[in-house]
Amino acid sequence: MIDRRTLLRGAALAGGGAALTAGLSAWFPAWAQPVSAGIAATLPTVAGTDISLRIAHQMMTVDGRQSHAIGINGTVPAPLVRLKEGTTVRLSVTNDLDEDSSIHWHGLLVPFQMDGVPGVSFPGIKPHSTFVYEFPVRQSGTYWYHSHSGLQEQIGHYGPIVIDPAGVDPIRSDREHVIVLSDHSPLHPHMIFKKLKQQGGYFNYQKQTLVDLIKGEDQPLKDRLIWGGMRMDPTDISDVTGATYSYLINGHGPHDNWTALFRPGERVRLRFVNASAMTTFNIRIPGLRLTIVQADGQPVRPVTVDEFQIAIAETYDVIVEPVEDRAYTLVGEAIDRSGMARATLAPREGMIAEVPPLRKRPLATMKDMGMGDMGAAPVGGADCPPEHAAMGHCTPAPAVPMDQGATAAGGMAGMNHGASGMSHSMRDFSNAPTVRKSPTVQTISPMPIDRTGEPGQGLQDVGHKVLVYRDLMAIDRNPDVRAPDRAMEIHLTGNMERYMWAFDGEKLSEVKDPIPFLENERVRVTLVNDTMMGHPIHLHGHFFELVIGHGDHAPRKHTVQVQPGGKVTFDVTADAVGDWAFHCHMLYHMHAGMMQVVTVRPRLGEAA
C-alpha cells in the first residue's frame, strides 16, 4: 500500500510529475514498471561431448534488484547444454556448495544411475566434490536440467537442454530462441515453505472481498456461503504468487525486457521451458499465432493456437512467423494472474510493444472440486444433491435422509444420494478404495472427469483458440502399440490447511514399498486429482502415451498436468530397469511428500 505520507515525500523528492512516476515505479507491479531498452544477449552455452559444470553460490539481479542464488558456471539460468543425438556425453559436475547437490536431466532417457535423484538413483554430489555423469544421447528435442536436492531449484539451479537430431532437423526454421520461464523470490525457499505450512493461503492476496460482493463481482452470496461452509476458497489457484514472486524469462524480470530478435518474414522457433518451482504459465504473443511443433521434446503434428498453458516442467517448441517490422510482446501470465513474465520479440534491440494488462483472476468451480461437468443439462430427483440444488443446478427430489456427516447448510461432508448409488461426499473413501484414510486427504473427488479436451484452468472463456492436450498428435507411430497388460489408478491427494501432499494419501516418508513394474510390461495408469489445484506429474526415465483418442499416434510426454477435479490416463512401457522417481513437479508439493519411487525389475530368467 502507498500511504499519503509516502506520496507527498515522493513528490517532494521528485520535483515533478514525470519524476514522481519514476520515483514511485518501485511500487508498481513488476510487469507494469517502466522498462529498459531491452537485453538481447543469448544464453551462455556449453556443448560437445566433454562438458564441465560448476554449482556455486552467486548473486543475481532481477529488475535492478540483487538477491542470493545458486547458479551453474556463474549464471542463472544455468548454461544451455547443447548435445547431439547419437553421441555419448560426459558431464563433470563440481559442487562448490557446503551442502549436497545434484543434477537431474529432465526428460532424458539415461541409465538410472545417471538420473541424478539423491536417495533413489545415486547418493548425490557431496560438498566440494565432483561427480561425472556419462550416458548415450538417445533422443533429440528441447529438455532441461535442475537440482533434485532440497529446494535448490527455487533459487536458480536450473537450465535448458537442446539436443540436435543426428540427421537433418525436420522442423524448419530460420532462427531459434530458447525461452526459460521461472519464478524467483528474495524470500528464502525454506521460509516460503514454512509460511505455507503455517497457512496454506499465505501468499494469496486475491481473495474475494465484501467490496466485490457489493459490486456484484465474483461469486454471489449464496455460493460464497456454501464454499465458506466447506472451508474452501475458490481463489486458491496458486500456492505461491506474485505477492513474493517475480516471473522471469531467461533470468530477467519484466522490467529488464529481455528481447529476442528476428527479421520480418523469418520462421522463428521458440523453445519454451517451464523451469519454475510453482508456477503454471499461460503463453501468448498478441498479434502472432503460435504453431506447436513439439511437446516435451517429441514432434507433434503442427497445431496453430493463440495461447497455450505450459505446466511446470513441460516444454513446448513453437513456430512464429512475424511479417511486420514491429515489436511484439511475449506474455507469460501466471495462472492465477498475480503477475507475468514478459519479454519482447522485435526486429531491433530497444523496441518495445504494448504490454497487455493482467486479466481478471480465475475462480475455481464445482468441476474443479471434482463434481463433474456442472455445465451439463440439469438433472433432478435422486440425482440432484442438495449442494447442487443450492446453486441452482438441478431440482431435488422430496427430502432424502442425510448421512450423519451431512450439514444442514448443504455442506458436502457425508452427502450420499440414495437411488443413484453415487456418493457426492467430498471425503467418501468408497469413491477411492485405494486411498489411505489419513490427514493428508482433505477431499476425494466424487465425480472426476477427463479434462484433456478442455483449456487449462482459467482459459475457458478467453475468446480465442487455446491448446488442449487432445490437439496433440504424434508425427510418428508410437514405438509400442501393445494393449496394456494391466491397469492401475493413482490418486493425487492433499490437505491445503495443513499443507500436506501425497499419492493415495501416503507421503513419501510413509511409503514402505516402491510401485513395482516388470521390465517391458505395458501398464495403463490413471491419475485422479482429488484436489482443487492442478498437478504436473513427472515420471523419470520414461515417456508415456496419453490416452486421448489418437490410437497409435498418441502424444508422448514425460510430464502431464492433471487439472483440478480431473483425471488423465496414459500407457507406459516399463522399458528401463532401475529405480525411478515419480512425483508432482510443484517443488513444495514434492517437498511435502507428493513423491514415490517406481521400480522396474528385470523378468526372471532374463538378463538385467
Side-chain angles (χ1 to χ4, degrees), residues 10 94 126 128 140 194 246 372 425 523 528 570 598:
T94 299
K126 298 301 177 185
H128 309 290
S140 62
K194 179 180 179 180
S246 293
S425 165
V523 182
V528 180
F570 62 77
V598 167

Side-chain angles (χ1 to χ4, degrees), residues 118 143 242 417 452 481 600:
Y143 304 94
H417 308 289
T452 56
V481 295
V600 180

Side-chain angles (χ1 to χ4, degrees), residues 503-560:
F503 291 131
D504 288 334
E506 287 191 317
K507 298 182 295 181
L508 177 63
S509 60
E510 301 168 334
V511 173
K512 295 180 175 61
D513 298 301
I515 301 172
F517 287 81
L518 279 178
E519 184 180 9
N520 290 322
E521 77 168 323
R522 189 90 168 135
V523 182
R524 174 158 292 183
V525 179
T526 297
L527 303 174
V528 180
N529 190 348
D530 288 322
T531 79
M532 287 175 52
M533 186 167 289
H535 294 280
I537 303 301
H538 173 48
L539 174 61
H540 288 223
H542 298 77
F543 280 89
F544 47 77
E545 292 82 48
L546 295 184
V547 180
I548 54 175
H550 295 325
D552 59 4
H553 281 74
R556 307 186 71 223
K557 298 185 98 280
H558 52 60
T559 305
V560 64

Side-chain angles (χ1 to χ4, degrees), residues 17 68 157 198 245 280 362 389 415 451 515 584:
H68 167 254
H157 191 334
Q198 292 170 338
Y245 274 156
T280 297
M415 201 65 71
R451 304 186 69 178
I515 301 172
C584 176

